[in-house]
């Protein structure tokens, strides 16, 4: 089976989708499939199984290369998909690389599988400049590639209360309708999609970590906070408003002196975080290996995401490392092994500060949660079989439709 993975996110950068695509590529290749990745690249790749898509010279949202123009990207994909005799096109985003992949697949009569990694409505509202103008523009541009006609979004949910949010949900519904099968890594997001009327088959297939990453991590070590030692907190991700890095910066100003905070990642919010003057260390964008090394040296990972993330890959890396997670979003409970994390009472700086103070008073809780992570490590391993089953289902449906 020959698979094309198409994504709008530049693979060498630090980010959840990049990590998920890299992991999936490795596990599918190990299972004997032939995998080609199509994505925008800031620099040429020497790997023949990674194909660069055309990018805009002027527009780089959140600092990433942006696939443009769609017509040229679709033509390149049509040629490459045909020459490589691709069987299934698997898209991993809702922007123009993925749209070009869908158009090329439809032109060639190939089945499309789409993984919905996150909430486009929250991301665009947080990242795009002048969202009242640019969000409708993005929706219009998307609809020129994939029809939004006839799609209705219910306005009775908090996440669809605004016209901009509903336009992005129509975008997600359109992308789903153009796919033969939709994969969602978490049940909480799958519920939202089905409530909004997604008609394509939806499978919940959690992301996971590939064997090379698990080998890099090695045997996890139980975390223990010794009396009088510094509690080392770690925050990893895109420094972007939807990830809420300002919340950990705000909380850090109230932490005791024997609490340290290291932040790994870069993005739009870096300057505003620096201006806050919080007592934390900004390490910038680094490799996955450096993140794993930082996890090994930390006591607790902090996730400030709320009502946005689907299944943060960094939480899976923490679980594999035996690193407990302090998190704000109750939906993310399903990501972690039972007992491996601490949910803040409130998703703000005060909630995080109170929980950190509680861990300092009772450091045994860190060891208990770390042990739970280690026991549940197998839960975060990437599996090939569920994804291959989806590919086979999509291929069968495509054959039946001919």
């Amino acid at each position: 089976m020959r698979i094309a993975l198409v994504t709008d996110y530049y693979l060498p950068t630090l980010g959840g989708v990049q990590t998920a695509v890299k992991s999936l590529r490795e596990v599918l290749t190990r299972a004997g499939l032939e995998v080609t990745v199509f994505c925008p690249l800031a620099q040429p790749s020497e790997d023949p199984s990674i194909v660069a898509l055309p990018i805009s010279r002027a527009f780089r949202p959140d600092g990433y290369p942006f696939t443009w123009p769609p017509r040229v990207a679709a033509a390149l994909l049509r040629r490459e998909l045909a020459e490589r005799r691709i069987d299934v096109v698997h898209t991993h985003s809702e922007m123009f690389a993925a749209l070009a992949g869908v158009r090329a697949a439809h032109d060639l009569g190939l089945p499309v599988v789409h993984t919905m990694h996150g909430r486009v409505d929250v991301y665009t509202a947080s990242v795009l400049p002048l969202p009242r103008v640019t969000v409708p523009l993005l929706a219009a541009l998307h609809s020129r590639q994939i029809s939004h006609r006839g799609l209705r979004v219910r306005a009775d949910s908090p996440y669809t209360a605004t016209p901009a949010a509903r336009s992005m949900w129509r975008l997600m519904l359109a992308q789903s309708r153009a796919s033969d099968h939709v994969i969602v890594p978490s049940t909480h997001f799958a519920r939202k999609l089905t409530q909004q009327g997604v008609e394509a088959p939806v499978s919940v297939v959690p992301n996971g970590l590939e064997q090379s990453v698990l080998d890099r991590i090695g045997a996890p070590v139980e975390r223990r906070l010794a009396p009088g030692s510094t509690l080392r907190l770690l925050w990893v991700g895109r420094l972007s408003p939807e990830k809420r890095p300002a919340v950990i910066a705000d909380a850090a100003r109230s932490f005791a002196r024997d609490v340290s905070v290291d932040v790994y990642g870069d993005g739009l919010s870096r300057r505003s975080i620096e201006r806050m003057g919080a007592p934390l260390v900004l390490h910038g964008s680094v490799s996955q290996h450096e993140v794993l090394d930082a996890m090994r040296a930390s006591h607790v990972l902090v996730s400030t995401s709320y009502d946005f993330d689907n299944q943060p890959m960094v939480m899976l890396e923490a679980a594999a490392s035996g690193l407990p997670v302090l998190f704000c979003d109750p939906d993310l409970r399903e990501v972690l092994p039972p007992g491996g994390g601490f949910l803040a009472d409130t998703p703000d700086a005060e909630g995080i500060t109170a929980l950190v103070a509680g861990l300092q008073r009772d450091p045994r809780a860190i060891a208990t949660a770390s042990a739970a992570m280690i026991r549940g490590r197998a839960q975060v391993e990437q599996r090939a079989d569920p994804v291959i089953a989806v590919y086979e289902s999509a291929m069968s449906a495509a054959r039946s439709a001919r």
Side-chain angles (χ1 to χ4, degrees):
M1 193 184 296
R2 299 177 180 88
I3 307 300
L5 305 180
V6 186
T7 174
D8 282 88
Y9 298 98
Y10 173 39
L11 287 183
T13 57
L14 184 66
V17 177
Q18 298 92 309
T19 304
V21 171
K22 184 172 72 70
S23 176
L24 181 60
R25 176 194 181 198
E26 179 177 312
V27 74
L28 292 177
T29 301
R30 284 177 179 263
L33 281 66
E34 189 175 310
V35 182
T36 305
V37 178
F38 296 86
C39 66
L41 293 176
Q43 298 176 348
S45 172
E46 296 180 359
D47 187 339
S49 65
I50 297 179
V51 179
L53 296 175
I55 62 174
S56 169
R57 295 182 179 181
F59 188 51
R60 292 174 65 91
D62 213 13
Y64 291 116
F66 184 76
T67 299
W68 192 264
R71 175 180 54 81
V72 177
L76 183 152
L77 277 156
R78 274 194 301 272
R79 182 176 66 253
E80 291 283 346
L81 297 178
E83 289 179 357
R84 294 170 185 261
R85 299 166 59 198
I86 295 295
D87 295 304
V88 177
V89 174
H90 187 173
T91 54
H92 288 268
S93 46
E94 292 77 36
M95 298 298 122
F96 291 99
L99 296 178
V102 171
R103 289 185 63 184
H106 287 178
D107 289 345
L108 297 172
L110 299 176
V112 176
V113 172
H114 180 59
T115 291
M116 196 78 71
H117 284 281
R119 294 273 301 280
V120 181
D121 55 323
V122 180
Y123 178 78
T124 53
S126 301
V127 170
L128 291 182
L130 300 173
R132 289 187 179 182
V133 176
T134 52
V135 168
L137 176 60
L138 175 61
L141 291 171
H142 189 281
S143 68
R144 293 181 62 180
Q145 308 299 317
I146 295 178
S147 173
H148 294 197
R149 188 173 302 164
L151 292 173
R152 297 289 181 270
V153 175
R154 292 165 47 185
D156 57 353
S157 300
Y159 56 88
T160 59
T162 67
R166 290 193 292 276
S167 71
M168 288 297 96
W169 272 92
R170 276 191 295 274
L171 182 153
M172 288 186 274
L173 295 179
Q175 192 97 15
S176 300
R177 186 171 64 180
S179 306
D180 296 281
H181 207 114
V182 176
I183 292 176
V184 183
S186 64
T187 56
H188 69 267
F189 192 34
R191 279 196 303 270
K192 289 182 173 70
L193 286 173
T194 54
Q195 287 169 359
Q196 292 300 333
V198 169
E199 295 181 357
V202 177
S203 293
V204 177
V205 181
N207 292 318
L209 301 178
E210 65 271 40
Q211 190 59 48
S212 63
V213 171
L214 295 173
D215 292 343
R216 167 78 184 186
I217 292 170
V221 176
E222 185 176 297
R223 303 306 196 278
R224 293 181 180 274
L225 179 62
S229 62
T230 296
L231 172 58
R232 297 187 299 274
L233 303 181
L234 177 67
W235 191 99
V236 179
R238 190 170 58 248
L239 290 180
S240 191
E242 76 282 0
K243 294 285 189 177
R244 305 199 315 148
V247 175
I248 185 62
D250 191 17
R253 295 189 290 195
S254 301
F255 290 158
R257 290 186 178 181
D258 54 352
V259 177
S260 68
V261 183
D262 287 277
V263 174
Y264 287 80
D266 212 340
L268 295 174
S269 297
R270 177 163 185 149
R271 288 186 179 179
S272 63
I273 298 298
E274 290 173 337
R275 286 195 296 268
M276 291 177 70
L280 47 76
V281 180
L282 295 170
H283 295 268
S285 183
V286 300
S287 68
Q288 186 182 33
H289 287 174
E290 290 175 87
V291 169
L292 298 178
D293 290 342
M295 286 185 172
R296 195 172 294 112
S298 302
H299 291 109
V300 177
L301 174 75
V302 179
S303 169
T304 50
S305 178
Y306 185 79
D307 196 30
F308 169 69
D309 271 312
N310 197 340
Q311 187 200 25
M313 293 297 293
V314 68
M315 291 176 72
L316 302 186
E317 292 166 341
S321 301
L323 180 66
V325 178
L326 187 164
F327 60 105
C328 298
D329 189 341
D331 281 341
L332 298 183
R333 279 195 187 99
E334 67 176 292
V335 178
L336 299 174
F342 312 102
L343 175 62
D345 288 337
T346 58
D348 51 19
E350 289 75 15
I352 292 175
T353 300
L355 190 42
V356 167
L359 294 177
Q360 288 188 286
R361 289 192 299 271
D362 182 16
R364 292 172 301 177
I366 295 174
T368 300
S370 180
M373 286 292 214
I374 295 171
R375 288 194 302 270
R377 192 176 198 246
Q379 175 182 322
V380 302
E381 294 178 11
Q382 177 74 67
R383 310 290 184 188
D385 290 349
V387 182
I388 294 173
V390 170
Y391 293 160
E392 291 173 341
S393 173
M395 292 171 65
S396 176
R399 284 193 296 266
S400 300
R402 289 179 186 141

